[in-house]
Amino acid sequence: MPSAQPHSAGTDRTAPASAAEPVGDLVQRASHQLTELVRGELRLAQAEMKEKGRHYGKGGGLFGGAGLAGFLALEALVVTAIAALAVVLPVWAAALIVTAVLGATAALMALTGKKQIDKAAPPAPEQAIENVKADVAEIKESAHR
């Protein structure tokens, strides 16, 4: 009839059972729980990244479509400019003027872009490399002391 006796708060069966477990079993159980926790978090992260990837894919496709539509609108604007100039000039002259303006704009943009790339060259973090070299030299010097 021991089960019919009331338990006091200090004689809880679960606390002494876990306290009586060997340390190795507790470590093994904690390791297993930690492994399961990490796996669960990785599954959650994977599901979250899959969902975000889906949104990035849709967004990228929409940006691509917007770029194409913008390009077509720019082409229509060029045709409109040629047509407007063709009112006062022959069509070939209007087309030549618009082509020259677009060519000059492209050349100016290319030269400006080249200057920007030249400012960035070489594509290595020179300041960071110099700092690392200085740090290594300082460590070597302090190791010889």
Side-chain angles (χ1 to χ4, degrees):
M1 293 277 169
S3 62
Q5 296 178 355
H7 294 290
S8 67
T11 61
D12 185 19
R13 296 283 180 184
T14 58
S18 63
E21 286 186 60
V23 175
D25 289 347
L26 291 174
V27 170
Q28 183 180 8
R29 187 166 20 146
S31 174
H32 177 71
Q33 289 174 347
L34 182 61
T35 301
E36 288 301 315
L37 177 65
V38 169
R39 285 181 182 157
E41 292 297 329
L42 286 174
R43 284 191 296 269
L44 177 63
Q46 183 182 21
E48 183 179 351
M49 292 307 293
K50 188 181 289 187
E51 183 66 24
K52 286 186 178 203
R54 219 176 283 126
H55 288 290
Y56 277 122
K58 287 178 184 177
L62 290 170
F63 272 126
L68 177 62
F71 180 72
L72 293 174
L74 186 62
E75 286 181 342
L77 182 63
V78 168
V79 170
T80 302
I82 292 171
L85 284 174
V87 170
V88 293
L89 297 171
V91 176
W92 68 266
L96 182 63
I97 290 171
V98 171
T99 301
V101 169
L102 289 173
T105 303
L108 181 64
M109 290 174 73
L111 287 174
T112 305
K114 184 179 182 329
K115 286 180 185 177
Q116 290 296 316
I117 288 175
D118 288 344
K119 284 182 183 178
E126 293 175 325
Q127 184 66 40
I129 291 171
E130 291 301 319
N131 287 345
V132 168
K133 287 180 181 177
D135 291 344
V136 168
E138 181 69 29
I139 292 168
K140 284 182 180 179
E141 183 179 318
S142 65
H144 290 296
R145 290 184 200 167

